[in-house]
Amino acid sequence: MNADQSTLETTSDLTGTDAPEIGVTLENHTHRAHTRYAGHDEPETIWYDPRDGRECYSLPGEITFADFDDADDRVLSSVQVHPHRPGEAIDGKYVVIRHYAYIETLRQFHAGEHVDSVSRIGSCRDSDVFDSIEAAREWCCEHVAGYADAPRKDAVRARGER
């Protein structure tokens, strides 16, 4: 067990005095994808980066055709929160990016006509910009199932221990 294990404790408080500190400087250079990687490795946990507040929350399980009610349905697979413009002041705007899966039907031209041929699961995303990280987190709590109660973990430190 690492001597700095206390930094990996989880919390579900998103905005109060127990919220993770943002603006932390790390001793070692590391990349910005830690939250995304951790979110895919361990879903239903809000993985955050203490340097700029970015977060990733992935919903559990692989999406299959059975998850769709109809062909026009979209299924949420993950949510990311990060600064609207990297390098902007810590108290600047934040964007919430929602990743969706949907059924995509490919069409072929056969015997002079377009015909549906193969259906597969495609992906798309959309986003909204908020005036603060608190507003972005509040939106996620209200609109993303499980987000409000999910534990929070520092992805940079957790992934650095692997």
Side-chain angles (χ1 to χ4, degrees), residues 9-15 18-20 39 42-48 55-60 79 137 140-142 144-154:
E9 291 180 14
T10 62
T11 178
S12 60
D13 185 359
L14 296 178
T15 57
D18 294 331
E42 187 179 331
E44 296 186 293
T45 299
I46 299 171
W47 290 95
Y48 69 91
E55 300 177 352
C56 183
Y57 176 77
S58 295
L59 283 87
V79 176
R137 288 174 176 160
C140 290
C141 287
E142 292 174 7
V144 179
Y147 194 93
D149 299 322
R152 301 176 61 78
K153 292 184 182 177
D154 181 332

Side-chain angles (χ1 to χ4, degrees), residues 5-162:
Q5 189 69 25
S6 64
T7 61
L8 296 179
E9 291 180 14
T10 62
T11 178
S12 60
D13 185 359
L14 296 178
T15 57
T17 57
D18 294 331
E21 182 180 355
I22 298 174
V24 173
T25 302
L26 301 177
E27 294 176 14
N28 300 323
H29 177 73
T30 183
H31 57 85
R32 296 284 183 191
H34 289 300
T35 58
R36 181 169 41 95
Y37 295 156
H40 292 292
D41 291 345
E42 187 179 331
E44 296 186 293
T45 299
I46 299 171
W47 290 95
Y48 69 91
D49 186 327
R51 295 171 290 185
D52 62 3
R54 70 184 58 227
E55 300 177 352
C56 183
Y57 176 77
S58 295
L59 283 87
E62 184 176 339
I63 297 173
T64 66
F65 285 102
D67 295 319
F68 297 92
D69 292 332
D70 58 51
D72 295 328
D73 199 15
R74 293 190 313 173
V75 176
L76 184 67
S77 60
S78 67
V79 176
Q80 293 178 319
V81 176
H82 63 80
H84 183 235
R85 292 195 170 95
E88 195 171 286
I90 296 300
D91 61 352
K93 294 182 178 185
Y94 278 76
V95 62
V96 173
I97 300 174
R98 295 171 303 283
H99 298 266
Y100 294 96
Y102 67 96
I103 295 176
E104 177 179 46
T105 302
L106 303 177
R107 303 189 82 196
Q108 291 183 344
F109 194 72
H110 182 69
E113 293 186 27
H114 286 299
V115 293
D116 293 344
S117 59
V118 177
S119 292
R120 66 179 182 183
I121 296 178
S123 63
C124 63
R125 66 185 201 169
D126 62 9
S127 62
D128 289 302
V129 177
F130 296 87
D131 289 333
S132 67
I133 192 167
E134 290 81 12
R137 288 174 176 160
E138 182 179 326
W139 186 93
C140 290
C141 287
E142 292 174 7
H143 294 92
V144 179
Y147 194 93
D149 299 322
R152 301 176 61 78
K153 292 184 182 177
D154 181 332
V156 176
R157 288 187 180 93
R159 290 187 58 80
E161 292 181 358
R162 291 183 181 181

